[in-house]
Amino acid sequence: MTVTDLIRSRSNIRSFKSEPISENDLLAWLETASYAPNHRFNEPWVPVLSKIF
């Protein structure tokens, strides 16, 4: 599959599961996100985490 195919076949997620994300999965995602490329090492993204009690 090419990048063009992936872009054209993507879908928007309009509904989400009500299940919470496990802390291990969340930490793994944050670890992986820290490897995302950035412009001039300024890391322009800021993760925002929220938990509903």
Side-chain angles (χ1 to χ4, degrees), residues 1-46:
M1 184 172 269
T2 67
V3 173
T4 303
D5 292 335
L6 290 171
I7 292 170
R8 289 181 179 169
S9 65
R10 73 172 184 83
S11 61
N12 290 327
I13 299 172
R14 297 176 197 262
S15 64
F16 299 93
K17 295 180 179 180
S18 60
E19 304 168 13
I21 299 170
S22 75
E23 187 173 343
N24 287 339
D25 287 344
L26 183 58
L27 292 175
W29 178 82
L30 291 172
E31 165 84 23
T32 303
S34 72
Y35 290 95
N38 57 63
H39 180 66
R40 296 184 183 160
F41 302 108
N42 67 359
E43 298 183 6
W45 50 269
V46 177

